Each structure stands twice: as C-alpha cells, then as structure tokens.
Amino acid sequence: MTNYNFKKRNLFSGPHLLGLLFIIAGIFALVSPFVFESQSSYERSLFVGMAALIIGIMILSSYSGVLIDFSAHRAKEYICLLGFKIGEWADLPGINTIKVLEISQRTSNTPNGVSPTLTGRVTLYKTFLYADDSKPVLSFEYSRRERALKDAEHLATYLDATLKVAFKE
C-alpha cells in the first residue's frame, strides 16, 4: 500500500446528523402522499422529498481528511464531497518521529434549546508526525486505542520513523 487515508468523520453528530435528518424528512415527504390524504400535489411532494434527499446525501457524504502518498513523499489535506477529494498536494518533510498520546478531556455539547446539554470525560488518542522541529507536521485524532496504534505502526513503517507511545495505564 503506497497511500494512507485518514478520514475525519462522525456520522452521529454535527452536520452529519443534520444530513441523516434531511434523508429521513425526504423519505417521509416521498411516502406521505401514499399514506396520508392531503391537498398537496404529488409533484410537490416529489420535489420536496427529492430535494431533501439530495441535500441529505450531500451533507452525509462530506468529510475532511488527509491523504499521504508514501512513494512520492507528499500529503494532501482535503475536503470530500460526493466522493471527490478537493485539496492541494504538498511535499511531506522527512518524518522522523511519530508520537501517540492518550488525552482525557472534559467535553460539553453546546446548549441549543433542543437537545440536552451533556458533559463528561472523553478519552481521545492523538497521533502526531514530527520532522526535525518541535511542531508536528500532521496530527490525527482517534476515538479507539487499537485503531490509533495500528495506524501509527503503519505510518512508522512506511515513513521509516521512530514510534513513541505514551498511554496512561
């Protein structure tokens, strides 16, 4: 494998949740003329349903990420919309160290008047790619420990870098 593709996507929060809601509303709009008696026309229901489905699919299919090409030593931070990755390739400096850290932090969702305001501790696993200086060139965030370790080992192998893991036990 000569590429590594990191996708930043969470299907059940933020805009992706809105996309799911649009899809559900679109399906409801398409089915409602057959289930309920109404004064609106079938064409209007079809138009509203299809528009909601298209918007929902566009929102649900969008995400951001980083693509690393090991053979050409370059990276691309991109935004993906409907399968098309939009972004510019940049040369990747010589990565010599990869660090994986376990970070526990207190999180809270923004109160919006609709959903409950929840707070709690969340553990994230962050992978940092370093060249010669102290500032990381790239960073990746994972919710699962196993995935963070597997990807960090993969990156360290293909980039010929030293892997340093710092987990709390």
Side-chain angles (χ1 to χ4, degrees):
M1 179 194 300
T2 60
N3 290 330
Y4 172 73
N5 189 7
F6 176 76
K7 300 174 185 176
K8 300 176 200 173
R9 178 178 9 190
N10 187 354
L11 293 177
F12 298 107
S13 69
H16 291 113
L17 182 59
L18 180 65
L20 283 173
L21 293 175
F22 266 107
I23 290 173
I24 291 169
I27 292 170
F28 180 77
L30 289 172
V31 173
S32 65
F34 302 107
V35 177
F36 305 111
E37 287 186 32
S38 70
Q39 300 293 330
S40 65
S41 67
Y42 293 117
E43 293 84 15
R44 185 176 194 186
S45 296
L46 180 67
F47 176 73
V48 170
M50 291 304 293
L53 276 176
I54 290 169
I55 291 170
I57 290 170
M58 287 177 61
I59 292 172
L60 201 58
S61 73
S62 66
Y63 60 90
S64 62
V66 176
L67 186 62
I68 299 175
D69 184 355
F70 297 121
S71 60
H73 297 288
R74 61 186 184 161
K76 173 168 64 169
E77 292 189 40
Y78 65 85
I79 295 174
C80 185
L81 182 63
L82 296 172
F84 296 102
K85 293 179 176 84
I86 303 163
E88 297 292 324
W89 286 102
D91 290 332
L92 189 63
I95 304 295
N96 56 23
T97 306
I98 297 175
K99 292 182 184 177
V100 182
L101 303 174
E102 177 180 337
I103 299 171
S104 291
Q105 59 191 19
R106 186 171 182 211
T107 61
S108 174
N109 67 333
T110 306
N112 58 12
V114 176
S115 61
T117 304
L118 304 173
T119 58
R121 296 207 64 77
V122 174
T123 301
L124 298 173
Y125 303 93
K126 294 190 178 186
T127 301
F128 298 99
L129 280 64
Y130 291 93
D132 292 328
D133 55 0
S134 62
K135 184 179 176 187
V137 176
L138 291 171
S139 66
F140 308 115
E141 188 175 286
Y142 303 90
S143 59
R144 292 187 7 241
R145 180 182 198 161
E146 300 81 25
R147 180 67 185 204
L149 281 174
K150 180 182 171 191
D151 284 6
E153 290 169 355
H154 177 78
L155 288 167
T157 301
Y158 280 94
L159 294 172
D160 195 27
T162 305
L163 178 60
K164 296 180 181 180
V165 179
F167 287 153
K168 301 171 189 169
E169 294 299 326

